Amino acid sequence: MSTPNDELLPELDLRLTQENLDDLYEHAPCGYCSCLPDGTLVKLNHTLLSWLGYERSELVARQCLQQLFTVGGRLHYETHCAPLLLVRNQVRELSYSLRRKDGSTLPVLMNAQLLRDSDEQPLLVRVTLFDITERRKYEQELLRAKAQAEEQREQLAQANELLTSKNEQLTRINSDLDSFVYTASHDLKQPIENMAGLFQELRRTVTFHDPEAADMMGMFTQALQQILTTIKGLTEVVQLQRQLEQVPLELVVLQPFTEEIIRSLQQVNGQNATFTLDFAAAPTVCMARPGLHSMLYNLLSNGLKYAEPGRRPHIRVSTAASDDATVLSVQDNGRGIDLTRYGRQLFQLFRRFHPEVVGSGMGLYLVNRLAHQAGGRVEVDSTVGQGTTFRVYLPQHTTCQLS
């Protein structure tokens, strides 16, 4: 009874059923041979002869199967394969290399079956050989790739070990430098303050008749004040660094936090500046509160300090989301910075770009250091005469708790 699937089968060409078995043997896609139990070759197909480059008469009854193998393969055949055939009557997928007549080699996989006579005595070994040249190339490529990967892994491990060592060394150096700066600034502060006090007493009690004395006294006073400002700044940097190491991260609400800083700045500076706050995109940031306060205070005070003469200062503070970071931006309409000229020096300690404005040159250094300590970074856009925008990228922390 026919089925619907039968109708889909093409009509069979009867010539396909008349396959010549001798031709199939001779031109099979694999090598065939037969040999006596001692290995003497009695029959080989054309495929195997073409691989080896021999004539049939050069091999049949003249050579043994194991003689076609390389030295190592011959030893393996005689000590492992032949005894295994006698025990199991067959072996499968043994890897050998055939020696061609021209001296080259051909990698093959061998299957063999031992036939016995009616008395169970070994009679004939039938052998099938498969060319695995491409497979061997692939295996060699895999081995090379594995060796390269191992070498790269070792190099990476060494590089990581070296990097860890360098980081530990840098951490120790930074700690030593901070301790040195703190100690030096602390030890210098009292003598400088004493010197300033003595100088003030000198100005009060001594009369100078030299007309240039007043200018020199003013310059000396200014120099003393600059030294005191620098010492105070150095102490603040180290103290803040140590303080932040002990302070936990907080989820700070930016609106009231920033408004409080603005009120304190307006009381000190007394400038008629306007502020725009826009924290809709990210109302909070995760950072240690003292560090965030110092960062915003320095950026906002710079916006007031470096205002363009004759222009009312306007500062805009806003947030935006960027991948896994919150971007805190402070934009002013002040004097601007020539980034082409000073870009690489922007965050260096004691670098100042507007000498006509009083400052210590530590604000931007501190901002950059605080951002890096929090795992973030600072980017700057500025146009001379138009203003500057600082963007602080702060990483988001899922474990940060609202204070």
Side-chain angles (χ1 to χ4, degrees), residues 39-52:
T40 302
L41 291 167
V42 295
K43 189 174 183 180
L44 300 92
N45 72 342
H46 181 269
T47 301
L48 181 56
L49 290 171
S50 65
W51 287 354
L52 297 172

Side-chain angles (χ1 to χ4, degrees), residues 30-132:
C30 57
Y32 288 127
C33 68
S34 301
C35 61
L36 300 179
D38 65 357
T40 302
L41 291 167
V42 295
K43 189 174 183 180
L44 300 92
N45 72 342
H46 181 269
T47 301
L48 181 56
L49 290 171
S50 65
W51 287 354
L52 297 172
Y54 285 102
E55 296 294 332
R56 197 181 305 272
S57 58
E58 295 179 282
L59 298 179
V60 172
R62 293 180 178 274
Q63 290 197 37
C64 296
L65 172 64
Q66 54 267 39
Q67 290 179 281
L68 299 179
F69 299 148
T70 57
V71 175
R74 187 182 311 171
L75 181 63
H76 182 273
Y77 180 87
E78 293 175 348
T79 59
H80 177 78
C81 180
L84 197 60
L85 271 173
L86 292 175
V87 174
R88 297 184 178 178
N89 294 329
Q90 67 174 3
V91 293
R92 296 183 59 81
E93 295 191 349
L94 297 181
S95 178
Y96 291 105
S97 290
L98 299 178
R99 289 188 303 107
R100 293 189 177 100
K101 187 175 181 179
D102 62 7
S104 60
T105 58
L106 175 70
V108 294
L109 276 183
M110 185 186 82
N111 293 339
Q113 183 175 12
L114 175 64
L115 301 182
R116 297 178 181 271
D117 60 17
S118 57
D119 296 327
E120 293 298 318
Q121 295 300 311
L123 178 65
L124 186 71
V125 179
R126 289 177 178 171
V127 179
T128 307
L129 300 164
F130 298 92
D131 181 359
I132 59 169

Side-chain angles (χ1 to χ4, degrees), residues 192-366:
I192 296 298
E193 287 181 342
N194 291 340
M195 187 182 298
L198 290 171
F199 186 68
Q200 290 297 328
E201 183 64 19
L202 180 67
R203 294 186 64 178
R204 189 181 67 81
T205 59
V206 177
T207 302
F208 296 93
H209 301 288
D210 189 336
E212 296 182 358
D215 292 338
M216 295 179 64
M217 298 287 279
M219 293 170 61
F220 191 79
T221 301
Q222 186 178 359
L224 282 175
Q225 188 59 45
Q226 184 65 39
I227 293 174
L228 285 171
T229 302
T230 300
I231 291 175
K232 180 181 177 182
L234 288 171
T235 304
E236 179 186 351
V237 169
V238 178
Q239 285 180 334
L240 184 60
Q241 173 77 20
R242 293 180 175 181
Q243 181 184 4
L244 291 177
E245 292 174 356
Q246 308 298 325
V247 176
L249 298 178
E250 297 182 30
L251 197 61
V252 181
V253 181
L254 287 170
Q255 185 77 25
F257 187 82
T258 308
E259 289 174 350
E260 182 181 348
I261 295 175
I262 291 173
R263 282 194 294 270
S264 65
L265 285 171
Q266 288 175 328
Q267 290 174 3
V268 173
N269 292 279
Q271 295 188 10
N272 188 26
T274 60
F275 294 86
T276 300
L277 305 183
D278 181 8
F279 303 124
T284 60
V285 294
C286 185
M287 189 174 175
R289 183 176 288 267
L292 181 61
H293 185 280
S294 179
M295 180 186 297
L296 269 176
Y297 185 90
N298 277 284
L299 290 176
L300 292 173
S301 63
N302 278 355
L304 297 176
K305 185 187 302 182
Y306 298 104
E308 180 72 12
R311 182 189 303 162
R312 183 180 183 184
H314 178 75
I315 300 175
R316 183 177 189 272
V317 188
S318 62
T319 54
S322 173
D323 297 330
D324 295 331
T326 298
V327 186
L328 178 62
S329 299
V330 178
Q331 180 182 6
D332 64 54
N333 63 341
R335 306 183 184 208
I337 305 170
D338 187 350
L339 295 180
T340 304
R341 183 177 180 183
Y342 299 118
R344 294 186 178 181
Q345 309 170 35
L346 195 60
F347 300 113
Q348 292 181 7
L349 191 59
F350 302 132
R351 291 295 298 156
R352 301 180 63 243
F353 312 107
H354 297 288
E356 69 278 8
V357 180
V358 177
S360 64
M362 300 190 66
L364 292 184
Y365 167 82
L366 189 58

